[in-house]
């Protein structure tokens, strides 16, 4: 019967395919793109996100500058061989074009065959393919060609960036010359593309790559202009996309970024610019969802350089932004420059001349990226001009370069620690400037430790006796990245990381005054990117600081940026006002607030003055560094509580001097400032419950038939599979005698003890949506374990048996409606496989691990109706090496439980192997789920929940691993750890598949539970892009497949004529259904 069923489905599938096939050769199936072809009036009324077609030109256009989308007969692309995301964009552009011409022929390169062929070879292959295509045989057929230039394929050696760009530009010139000589009636769109692979790039290298992308963009733009490819012939034109495309930068705060913009957005941006001038933007619906840009009756053509009114119009005013002569030197009017009579013992009696050492921590503003570059040299932003950095540079002297060290050298010529010239933080000239371009607050502790070691090792520094000034400035990049993860970049977390850094300095550095410079008021910098006449590379800022630059004026997002900016500033003040760093007289921290308000410098005509900024209009020029140095110095001499908090770039700012009555660098004590003191310590929590704020908890009006429309309230049955973690092993243990207790009632994914207010578990969250949810565990008795099938010590090899037991338990339980109840299963396994891997590499191999997981999921898929499976990724077990406790349990048990990770030495081959296998488990599990194996049923889905993909060890207030999360064996989780896992799992379930948080955020906060929204009330699943083939039994004979294929073919030809008559009606129906189920595809 199964074979007969497959035969019928196979024949029908083949029949449907033949009925939608056309006679045109098109590697991209037209059945995909034709779904978007609708009649004019139906499109406008029913599907407002699609375009109403204005039809082709009355006659075939004679000029490439008068092509409508409907005139295109052929679409093709180059440069996709190593760019899977670019290939995705190309396919979606083809789908959009099919709206206007359902019969358009799409020729995309064969990815495997073209992988090792360069751009010129791909172009030659494409020319041959186009000549063979019937759609381009006519002299009147017009074609569109996308040419992706992948920045990742540039071969760049340090210091050879310009040569790499020149070589790439030359290759592009050869490709365009070939296309121009061989192709006619063709419009070429050149796209500089960056295929971001976040895991491979640090914050610093991402900045370098973004600059390199910009330089290549400018070089290609110059090439097209010099060769006049955009207007020399009427039957050929090459047009460059105004800004590069590719994934935006997302700071790598946990080995990989959590969220990136989708290829949908790149598709919309590319398509919009094909139709509109570069200043126009695709419109949006009220909910913020972008829609497809459409041609208009006034502007019906695909845009070229000639027909674009904005770019074709020659500007009469060619005057460039006035360039003011830099005034980077300063005069110091101070008469008294003497040190104290004897070395002071108190930081509150410190004169400028008593300072012997200067140091700095921070990001690219302290590294002085681009500060000395020429105004038009975007590549110069990659250079770190540390010698002219405002807080730590020491080039020349104060007469030529204004920096804090050069001011202090006027008081003490023997000052050390300042940086000179250019170079990275590792260069000898950087000295105690340990700022790193692209750094976030989480990078500061590492910088502090490196700084301390350098001070201890340098013979010029008397570490115990020399007075030191350390300037710390951070937070700009955190603001720039906050929209990618509002929790990670919350004020509490940012201030907490700054606190960790200051705690290190306070504990380890004697005789130090730390300047904590408030994060800059960053919102005014947006003005530079709102005036196109300034020619700022806004596309670059959309990558480096999209959270600040991209929100529209007056939008909620922009208000959030401004509020968070203020919160960061306020949090720094509150941290210092707590008095935490004034426990002894040889150390203090002073907030310097001159950046609290920023007044942007303006030209006489009211436009922002670019001379204060580096070529990227984001970093600061030497002119601004000089002003910052003056502002910092003056702040240091102003009393705490009465410091200047406004930074006016254009104001004439001179250097102040200590007075006879106040000769010291100002601190809270010598300013007679009283700290308000820290807020009262919160009462220690009595439980690890959570607050619940969701208001929309209703289930679906009727029981859903699709797993992709499943609300939390629709879940009737819960179950779990796994090992001792899911069994709750030792979750409440206070001693070794209690360690073996399996506290299943508090288990993260299946426990149901008490209520959510006192015990945070996934079932207790679900109870808020459906009080009758069934199957959770209670207590630690085996008789009340519900459908918690986890077994302590289990490996992946035991999961198939757990699944079999679960299925039998469901069938035997009268409270489970086998056919109708929606079931939620959570699978978490692999820890024991990894911990014991080195003892049995064959049995515990990645291949065997995946086979057991596959068998288990197959069993559920083939036998159980209405199931959603959570597969929680295995955590990074290496971090267990950081968990230590001076107790018998930790000393004896931890290494015996996980010897393969805990016994090998640091950087040993054995540890490297284990880390590789750990990652293989994660990657191959993701691949199994994403390959579509379980997409054939509408009532079944498997979803990867990756919150443990990049494991973060929770830290306590003194920067040490927080042992409250770990049981007495330093291996299993306590109830607190289970609560955090439950929250992370639940929040993952409410995040889109491609935008899930991929690290754990174990911080106690009763309000972290996310809520479904009215717009997105469902548990997120991976909806298949296209219908998946029916999976036939593996026992189906080979000859049967051939027979079925022949029979299907004969039947298909026999009835094609009947299906053609109703084809249009069916297409409309399928389109409506597709829209209803998947919402808007683009």
């Amino acid at each position: 019967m199964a074979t007969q069923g497959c035969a019928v489905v196979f024949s029908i599938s083949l029949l449907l395919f033949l009925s939608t096939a056309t006679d045109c050769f098109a590697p991209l199936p037209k059945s995909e793109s034709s779904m978007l072809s609708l009649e004019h009036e139906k499109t406008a009324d029913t599907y407002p996100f699609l375009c109403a077609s204005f039809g082709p030109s009355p006659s075939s256009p004679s000029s490439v500058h008068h092509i409508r989308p409907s005139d295109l007969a052929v679409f093709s692309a180059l440069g996709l061989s190593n760019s899977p995301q670019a290939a995705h964009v190309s396919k979606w552009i083809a789908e959009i074009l099919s709206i206007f011409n359902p019969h358009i022929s799409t020729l995309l390169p064969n990815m495997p065959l073209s992988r090792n062929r360069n751009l010129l070879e791909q172009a030659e292959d494409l020319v041959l393919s186009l000549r063979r295509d019937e759609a381009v045989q006519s002299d009147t057929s017009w074609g569109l060609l996308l040419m992706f230039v992948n920045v990742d394929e540039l071969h760049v050696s340090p210091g050879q960036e310009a040569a790499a760009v020149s070589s790439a530009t030359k290759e592009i010139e050869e490709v365009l010359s070939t296309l121009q000589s061989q192709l006619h009636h063709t419009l070429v769109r050149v796209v500089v593309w960056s295929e971001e692979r976040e895991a491979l790039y640090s914050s610093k290298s991402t900045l370098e790559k973004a600059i390199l992308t910009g330089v290549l963009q400018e070089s290609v733009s110059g090439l097209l202009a010099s060769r006049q490819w955009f207007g020399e012939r009427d039957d050929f034109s090459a047009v460059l996309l105004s800004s590069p495309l590719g994934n935006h930068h997302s700071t790598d705060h946990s080995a990989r970024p959590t969220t990136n913009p989708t290829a949908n957005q790149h598709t919309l941006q590319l398509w919009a610019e094909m139709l509109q001038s570069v200043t126009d933007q695709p419109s949006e619906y009220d909910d913020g969802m972008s829609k497809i840009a459409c041609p208009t009756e006034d502007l019906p053509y695909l845009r070229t350089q000639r027909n674009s009114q904005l770019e074709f119009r020659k500007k009469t005013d060619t005057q460039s932004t006035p360039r003011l002569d830099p005034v980077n030197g300063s005069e110091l009017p101070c008469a008294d420059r003497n040190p104290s009579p004897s070395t002071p013992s108190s930081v509150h009696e410190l004169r400028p001349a008593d300072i012997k050492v200067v140091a700095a921590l921070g990001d690219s503003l302290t590294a002085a990226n681009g500060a000395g570059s020429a105004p038009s040299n975007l590549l110069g932003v990659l250079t770190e001009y540390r010698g002219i950095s405002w807080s730590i540079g020491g080039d020349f002297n104060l007469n030529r370069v204004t920096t804090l060290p050069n001011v202090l050298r006027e008081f003490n010529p023997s000052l050390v620690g300042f940086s000179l010239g250019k170079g990275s933080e590792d260069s000898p000239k950087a000295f105690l400037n340990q700022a790193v371009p692209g750094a976030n607050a989480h990078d500061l502790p590492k910088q502090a430790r490196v700084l301390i070691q350098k001070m201890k090792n340098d013979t010029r520094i008397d570490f115990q006796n020399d007075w030191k000034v350390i300037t710390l400035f951070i937070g700009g990049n955190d603001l720039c990245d906050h929209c990618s993860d509002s929790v990670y970049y919350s004020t509490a977390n940012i201030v907490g990381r700054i606190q960790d850094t200051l705690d290190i300095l306070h504990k380890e550095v004697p005789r130090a005054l730390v300047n904590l410079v408030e994060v800059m008021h960053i919102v005014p910098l947006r003005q530079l990117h709102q005036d196109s006449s300034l020619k700022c590379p806004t596309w670059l800022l959309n990558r480096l600081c999209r959270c600040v630059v991209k929100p529209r004026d007056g939008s909620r997002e922009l208000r959030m940026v401004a509020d968070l900016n203020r919160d960061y500033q306020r949090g720094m003040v509150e941290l210092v006002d707590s008095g935490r760093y004034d426990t002894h007289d040889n150390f203090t921290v002073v907030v310097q607030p001159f950046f609290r308000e920023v007044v942007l410098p303006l030209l006489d005509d009211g436009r922002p003055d670019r001379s204060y900024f580096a070529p990227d209009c984001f970093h600061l020029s030497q002119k601004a560094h000089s002003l910052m140095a003056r502002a910092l110095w003056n702040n240091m001499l102003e009393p705490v509580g009465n410091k200047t908090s406004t930074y006016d770039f254009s104001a004439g700012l001179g250097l102040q001097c200590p007075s006879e009555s106040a000769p010291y660098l100002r601190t809270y004590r010598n300013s007679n400032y009283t700290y308000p003191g820290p807020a009262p310590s919160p009462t220690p929590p009595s439980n690890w419950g959570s607050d619940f704020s969701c208001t929309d908890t209703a289930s679906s009006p009727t029981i859903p038939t699709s797993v992709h429309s499943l609300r939390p309230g629709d879940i009737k049955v819960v179950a779990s599979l796994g090992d001792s973690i899911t069994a709750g092993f030792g979750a409440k243990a206070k001693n070794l005698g209690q360690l073996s207790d399996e506290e299943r009632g508090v288990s993260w994914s299946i426990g149901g003890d008490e209520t959510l207010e006192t015990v945070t578990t996934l079932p207790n969250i679900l109870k808020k949506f459906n009080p009758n949810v069934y199957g959770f565990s209670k207590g630690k008795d085996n008789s009340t374990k519900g459908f918690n099938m986890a077994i302590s010590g289990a490996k992946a090899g035991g999961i198939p048996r757990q699944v079999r037991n679960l299925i039998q338990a469901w069938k035997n339980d009268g409270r489970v409606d086998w056919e109708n109840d929606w079931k939620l299963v959570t699978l978490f396994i692999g820890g024991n496989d990894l911990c014991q891997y080195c003892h049995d590499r064959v049995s515990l191999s990645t291949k065997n691990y995946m086979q057991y997981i596959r068998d288990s999921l197959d069993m559920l898929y083939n036998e159980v109706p209405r199931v959603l499976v959570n597969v929680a990724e295995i955590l990074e077990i290496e971090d267990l090496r950081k968990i230590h406790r001076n107790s018998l349990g930790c000393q004896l048990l931890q290494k015996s439980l996980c010897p393969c990770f805990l016994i090998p030495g640091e950087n040993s081959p054995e540890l490297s192997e284990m880390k590789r296998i750990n990652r293989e488990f994660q990657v191959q599990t993701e691949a199994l789920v994403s390959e579509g194996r379980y997409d054939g049923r509408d009532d079944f889905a498997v979803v990867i929940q990756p919150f443990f993909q990049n494991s973060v060890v929770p830290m306590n207030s003194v920067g040490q691993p927080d042992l409250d999360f770990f049981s007495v064996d330093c291996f299993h989780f306590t109830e607190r750890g289970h609560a955090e896992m439950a929250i992370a799992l639940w929040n993952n379930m409410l995040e889109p598949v491609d935008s899930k948080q991929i690290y754990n955020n174990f911080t106690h906060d009763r309000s972290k539970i996310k809520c479904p929204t009215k717009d997105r009330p469902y548990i997120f699943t991976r909806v298949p892009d296209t219908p998946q083939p029916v999976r036939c039994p593996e026992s189906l004979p080979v000859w049967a497949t051939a027979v079925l294929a022949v029979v299907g073919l004969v039947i298909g030809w026999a009835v094609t004529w009947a299906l053609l008559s109703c084809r249009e009606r069916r297409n409309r129906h399928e389109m409506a259904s597709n829209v209803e189920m998947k919402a808007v595809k683009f």
Side-chain angles (χ1 to χ4, degrees), residues 13 68 161 213 248 315 367 378 406 503 567 575 579 583 666 723 732 767 774 887 889 895 905 922 1005 1031:
S13 299
R68 301 171 188 243
E161 292 86 358
T213 302
H248 297 297
K315 297 184 181 293
L378 188 59
N406 280 353
D503 286 351
D567 285 345
L575 172 63
T583 58
R666 304 308 290 266
D723 53 26
K732 292 184 177 181
K767 287 178 191 177
Y774 178 63
S887 67
K895 289 185 179 181
Q922 293 179 336
D1005 183 350
R1031 189 180 306 280

Side-chain angles (χ1 to χ4, degrees), residues 55-274:
S57 302
S59 59
S60 181
S62 60
S63 171
V64 71
H65 309 293
H66 295 91
I67 304 175
R68 301 171 188 243
S70 303
D71 296 326
L72 293 174
V74 181
F75 169 73
S76 52
L78 290 176
L80 310 183
S81 56
N82 293 308
S83 302
Q85 295 173 35
H88 219 52
V89 169
S90 299
K91 290 181 180 179
W92 284 349
I93 289 291
E95 291 194 26
I96 294 176
L97 289 172
S98 71
I99 298 172
F100 303 94
N101 179 8
H103 304 294
I104 190 169
S105 179
T106 301
L107 295 176
L108 298 180
N110 185 303
M111 298 287 282
L113 295 180
S114 63
R115 182 147 299 170
N116 296 320
R117 298 180 69 76
N118 61 33
L119 202 59
L120 180 59
E121 292 170 335
Q122 292 180 46
E124 293 169 346
D125 294 342
L126 181 62
V127 168
L128 293 176
S129 297
L130 288 171
R131 286 177 175 173
R132 291 194 296 264
D133 193 271
E134 295 178 2
V136 294
Q137 294 305 310
S138 170
D139 292 336
T140 61
S141 297
W142 285 97
L144 172 66
L145 169 60
L146 291 184
M147 177 177 162
F148 289 90
V149 181
N150 194 343
V151 179
D152 299 281
E153 295 184 2
L154 266 64
H155 303 290
V156 183
S157 301
Q160 300 297 316
E161 292 86 358
V165 170
S166 176
S167 176
T169 306
K170 184 176 180 180
E171 182 185 24
I172 294 167
E173 182 177 16
E174 293 175 353
V175 172
L176 289 175
S177 296
T178 298
L179 296 174
Q180 186 186 41
S181 63
Q182 300 293 326
L183 299 180
H184 301 281
H185 292 84
T186 301
L187 173 60
V188 179
R189 268 286 179 172
V190 183
V191 181
V192 176
W193 177 266
S194 172
E195 190 89 353
E196 290 274 358
R197 299 173 178 86
E198 297 276 350
L200 302 179
Y201 295 101
S202 65
S203 300
K204 181 176 179 180
S205 61
T206 300
L207 170 64
E208 295 172 353
K209 184 178 176 185
I211 297 297
L212 192 65
T213 302
V215 175
L216 180 60
Q217 174 83 10
E218 293 180 354
S219 180
V220 176
S221 178
L223 169 68
L224 294 182
S226 64
R227 288 293 300 269
Q228 291 292 303
W229 268 315
F230 54 75
E232 190 176 49
R233 282 174 23 192
D234 275 338
D235 68 341
F236 183 93
S237 183
V239 184
L240 176 66
L241 192 70
S242 65
S243 61
L245 283 185
N247 283 345
H248 297 297
H249 167 60
S250 178
T251 300
D252 181 13
H253 53 73
S254 60
R256 258 179 299 180
T258 61
T259 66
N260 290 318
T262 64
N264 309 47
Q265 295 170 305
H266 301 319
T267 304
L268 292 176
Q269 181 182 342
L270 175 57
W271 174 250
E273 192 166 325
M274 287 186 188

Side-chain angles (χ1 to χ4, degrees), residues 523-534:
V523 174
L525 268 61
R526 288 165 48 89
Q527 298 176 41
L528 287 160
H529 301 275
Q530 294 172 335
D531 188 337
S532 59
S533 68
L534 296 177

Side-chain angles (χ1 to χ4, degrees), residues 729-730 732-743 780 888-889 893 967-969:
F729 188 91
K732 292 184 177 181
K734 303 300 181 183
N735 52 59
L736 289 178
Q738 300 172 346
L739 181 63
S740 60
D741 290 346
E742 294 183 341
E743 302 286 351
K780 55 184 178 180
L888 185 63
L893 294 180
S967 191
V968 294
D969 60 359

Side-chain angles (χ1 to χ4, degrees), residues 343-553:
T343 302
S345 59
S346 171
V347 71
H348 309 294
E349 299 175 354
L350 199 60
R351 300 172 185 255
D354 297 327
I355 302 300
K356 301 290 182 67
V357 181
V358 287
L361 308 174
D363 53 28
S364 54
L365 288 182
T366 301
N369 278 73
S373 60
S376 60
N377 181 17
L378 188 59
L379 200 59
V381 179
L382 293 178
T383 303
E384 300 163 29
Y385 293 89
R386 294 178 182 263
I388 59 176
S389 173
W390 59 292
S391 63
I392 191 61
D395 278 358
F396 302 108
N397 53 49
L398 185 60
N399 291 332
R400 295 180 61 180
V401 178
T402 303
T403 64
L404 177 62
N406 280 353
V407 173
L408 290 171
R409 286 162 75 187
E410 295 292 312
F411 294 87
N412 176 16
S414 301
L415 186 79
V416 298
F418 50 82
S419 50
L420 297 170
K422 299 177 287 188
S424 71
E425 71 278 7
D426 297 322
S427 65
K429 289 185 177 181
F431 203 3
L432 301 185
N433 181 350
Q434 286 305 299
V436 178
N440 292 76
H442 65 246
D443 297 305
L444 283 183
K446 179 180 178 182
Q447 291 184 27
R449 292 186 179 97
V450 173
L451 173 64
I452 292 169
Q453 199 60 45
K454 283 182 175 290
M455 288 193 292
K456 288 181 177 180
N457 294 340
D458 197 284
T459 57
R460 291 168 290 181
I461 299 173
D462 184 339
F463 185 70
Q464 293 298 326
N465 297 310
D466 284 349
W467 280 103
K468 312 161 191 74
V469 167
I470 304 171
T471 301
L472 190 158
F473 180 55
I474 201 71
N477 291 318
D478 299 273
L479 281 172
C480 287
D481 293 335
H482 82 275
C483 60
S484 65
D485 193 327
S486 59
V487 173
Y488 191 83
Y489 295 106
S490 66
T491 300
N493 282 337
I494 298 306
V495 174
R497 291 160 196 150
I498 294 173
Q499 176 181 309
D500 292 343
T501 306
L502 293 175
D503 286 351
I504 293 170
L505 296 175
H506 181 228
K507 179 181 179 181
E508 299 189 30
V509 182
R511 295 199 168 184
L513 184 152
V514 177
N515 290 320
L516 177 59
V517 179
E518 284 186 14
V519 63
M520 177 192 297
H521 184 210
I522 201 170
V523 174
L525 268 61
R526 288 165 48 89
Q527 298 176 41
L528 287 160
H529 301 275
Q530 294 172 335
D531 188 337
S532 59
S533 68
L534 296 177
K535 303 186 187 307
C536 284
T538 303
W539 58 266
L540 175 61
L541 262 293
N542 285 336
R543 287 166 169 266
L544 298 180
C545 198
R546 64 188 179 92
C547 303
V548 174
V549 176
K550 296 198 76 170
R552 295 188 297 272
D553 286 341

Side-chain angles (χ1 to χ4, degrees), residues 32 66 101 193 296 421 667 717 809 890 899 955:
E32 293 181 19
H66 295 91
N101 179 8
W193 177 266
T296 64
T667 66
V717 180
C890 285
M955 296 293 179

Side-chain angles (χ1 to χ4, degrees), residues 700 702-719 770 773-774 810 816-825 864-869 937-941:
S700 300
T702 59
I703 298 176
T705 59
S706 172
V707 72
H708 310 299
S709 302
L710 196 62
R711 300 175 185 236
D714 298 326
I715 301 295
K716 298 294 181 64
V717 180
V718 290
N770 176 15
V773 69
Y774 178 63
W810 276 340
V816 176
D817 186 334
W818 175 258
E819 294 294 337
N820 297 312
D821 282 351
W822 278 102
K823 311 162 191 73
L824 176 66
V825 180
V864 186
R866 296 193 173 182
V867 181
L868 172 61
V869 181
R937 281 174 44 190
D938 203 37
D939 70 338
F940 187 94

